[in-house]
Amino acid sequence: MVPGVSVYKEKLVVIEEGDKKVEYRTWNPFRSKLGTAIGNGINNMPIKPGSKVLYLGAASGTTVSHVSDIVGEEGLVYAVEFSPRSGRDLLNVARSRPNIIPILEDARHPHKYRMLVGMVDVIFADVAQPDQARIVALNAHSFLKNDGFAVMSIKANCIDSTAPPEQVYKAELEKLKQELFRPREQISLEPYERDHAVVVALYRASAKKE
């Protein structure tokens, strides 16, 4: 989206493809849960060129900037972040990327930004809260299309520090099932993130998607 510009001091790589040069940004898996999931071989990645994405827990915009590159000019990223400090960095990233719409609000209250967000194809969530599944569901019921996807990063000890991580992941998947999601994939973020996983779930699946 923004050639020649590094967002978080990541390396830029220019490769010749045919008779033209194409620039790529390295994606540091230690700085991005989504980047880690892709690097670890996730099979069901619903974020694609042209996608409309609601990103919950946008932080300073590091991963948001990569999602911006993926969806391209035809896509949109609604980036929700509650922290004022991280929000300032997010606003700076969004200034040079017209497909990012920064929203400085609490993701627990989607009604507060309902006038800013259209229907989306994907919700990505990295909010690291005990009620994360509920937060995803609230936003899905407001903004996610039928047959859309949620991609949720789960930090086990933020939900239950006394339970084994696999038990936490299973419980979170059950919560999603109760909110009309159908889990499609779960992938560990080891060795980059300890006791983390990313899950992909289909929302309000039509008969053809079941």
Side-chain angles (χ1 to χ4, degrees):
M1 282 293 293
V2 189
V5 176
S6 174
V7 174
Y8 56 99
K9 298 183 180 179
E10 73 279 13
K11 186 178 179 180
L12 305 179
V13 180
V14 177
I15 297 175
E16 290 189 5
E17 295 185 358
D19 59 351
K20 63 179 181 179
K21 294 183 178 180
V22 180
E23 182 182 277
Y24 294 93
R25 299 166 57 210
T26 56
W27 198 341
N28 186 343
F30 290 102
R31 298 284 300 273
S32 169
K33 311 292 196 313
L34 183 60
T36 301
I38 293 171
N40 280 5
I42 194 168
N43 292 315
N44 298 281
M45 177 43 62
I47 301 173
K48 302 173 181 178
S51 292
K52 307 296 189 297
V53 179
L54 175 58
Y55 193 120
L56 307 178
S60 58
T62 297
T63 301
V64 170
S65 69
H66 287 288
V67 175
S68 164
D69 287 337
I70 293 172
V71 304
E73 295 180 358
E74 299 301 316
L76 278 176
V77 185
Y78 300 98
V80 180
E81 175 53 46
F82 188 54
S83 164
R85 181 174 181 177
S86 295
R88 287 194 293 272
D89 294 334
L90 176 63
L91 287 171
N92 286 332
V93 172
R95 284 194 180 98
S96 59
R97 293 173 173 269
N99 64 353
I100 297 177
I101 299 174
I103 300 169
L104 304 185
E105 273 294 352
D106 187 341
R108 288 190 177 90
H109 305 291
H111 64 278
K112 291 186 177 182
Y113 45 88
R114 67 183 184 277
M115 300 303 291
L116 300 174
V117 179
M119 296 301 289
V120 300
D121 306 295
V122 183
I123 291 176
F124 179 80
D126 182 16
V127 295
Q129 296 294 328
D131 58 341
Q132 180 169 349
R134 174 180 170 272
I135 293 170
V136 170
L138 285 172
N139 281 271
H141 298 334
S142 294
F143 306 118
L144 188 57
K145 297 176 181 177
N146 292 352
D147 292 328
F149 286 88
V151 182
M152 187 169 77
S153 173
I154 303 173
K155 184 177 181 180
N157 65 11
C158 276
I159 295 168
D160 186 345
S161 61
T162 66
E166 287 300 329
Q167 184 176 322
V168 174
Y169 305 149
K170 183 178 180 180
E172 291 303 289
L173 290 177
E174 288 301 319
K175 292 174 187 176
L176 290 177
K177 289 178 183 177
Q178 293 171 15
E179 299 289 353
L180 305 177
F181 284 97
R182 297 289 181 268
R184 286 293 185 261
E185 185 174 3
Q186 175 183 320
I187 189 166
S188 170
L189 302 189
E190 300 276 1
Y192 303 100
E193 297 283 353
R194 183 180 178 183
D195 297 338
H196 280 68
V198 161
V199 300
V200 180
L202 180 65
Y203 181 65
R204 289 183 180 269
S206 61
K208 65 180 180 179
K209 292 283 188 177
E210 287 286 7

